[in-house]
Amino acid sequence: MDLDLLQIPDERSTSKVRCKCGNDAIIRTVKNGPNCGSKFYGCPLWPVSLGCSRLKDTTCDMFLLIEGKSEVEELQWKMFEKDTTITKLEMLNTMKDEKIKNLQMKKKSLEEEMKGVKNELGQQQIALMRCSWNNNMFKMTLICSWYFFAIVYYLK
């Protein structure tokens, strides 16, 4: 393994996982690559001993990936999921607010249009009543003129 791939040991293992050379394995964290951030068990002697200027190579190539996520990672994932849910709900809420505003504007426009139609209908009713009144007046005038001609014709 390349030295750049691994971090220095970050904690001692509390479980009794032993490496091939018989030492208690320690938990390390992958620094680079597709498994970046993953935890694994490794030999405490690999690749160097801290505080010592000379390298202590080991032939032990113990590497055991720890399955699952740590509590912190699980909590971070849950927070991410909740944040995502909150963001989706906020977007839906914003979209609903915009839809409500659009519907309120449409309602106001339709109410104004309805007022105009009511005014026009009222004017049409007045005009119809005037026409009806004029029609009745015309009939009465016609009947009266027939009586007048009939009277004049018989009197002659």
Side-chain angles (χ1 to χ4, degrees):
M1 278 191 205
D2 190 86
L3 291 177
D4 291 336
L5 294 177
L6 306 175
Q7 269 186 327
I8 297 166
D10 57 2
E11 56 187 81
R12 288 275 174 195
S13 174
T14 57
S15 66
K16 295 295 178 186
V17 176
R18 297 204 177 262
C19 62
K20 294 176 185 176
C21 62
N23 292 317
D24 286 339
I26 60 172
I27 298 175
R28 298 177 184 258
T29 305
V30 177
K31 268 177 52 175
N32 298 324
N35 292 328
C36 185
S38 298
K39 304 279 184 188
F40 67 94
Y41 291 105
C43 181
L45 301 177
W46 188 89
V48 292
S49 176
L50 291 177
C52 184
S53 60
R54 60 189 179 112
L55 294 176
K56 290 186 178 179
D57 287 330
T58 179
T59 58
C60 180
D61 58 352
M62 199 282 192
F63 176 86
L64 178 62
L65 191 62
I66 298 174
E67 296 295 323
K69 298 178 181 175
S70 69
E71 283 186 52
V72 173
E73 291 172 324
E74 285 293 330
L75 291 173
Q76 287 174 336
W77 180 253
K78 287 179 181 179
M79 282 180 56
F80 174 74
E81 286 178 327
K82 289 187 188 271
D83 287 344
T84 302
T85 302
I86 289 170
T87 302
K88 286 179 183 178
L89 291 173
E90 286 173 345
M91 282 178 42
L92 286 173
N93 195 25
T94 301
M95 290 170 47
K96 286 179 182 179
D97 287 345
E98 288 176 8
K99 190 170 185 177
I100 287 170
K101 284 180 186 178
N102 289 339
L103 289 172
Q104 287 173 339
M105 289 174 38
K106 189 173 182 179
K107 177 185 173 187
K108 187 175 182 179
S109 172
L110 289 172
E111 285 174 345
E112 290 175 5
E113 186 178 338
M114 192 167 74
K115 283 180 185 178
V117 169
K118 282 182 179 180
N119 287 338
E120 186 178 331
L121 180 62
Q123 290 173 356
Q124 292 292 329
Q125 286 175 337
I126 292 170
L128 182 61
M129 287 172 41
R130 284 183 183 158
C131 286
S132 177
W133 187 77
N134 287 341
N135 189 22
N136 288 339
M137 289 300 292
F138 178 72
K139 287 179 186 176
M140 291 301 287
T141 306
L142 189 60
I143 291 171
C144 288
S145 66
W146 285 345
Y147 282 127
F148 179 72
F149 285 122
I151 293 173
V152 170
Y153 183 73
Y154 284 118
L155 288 177
K156 235 183 171 194

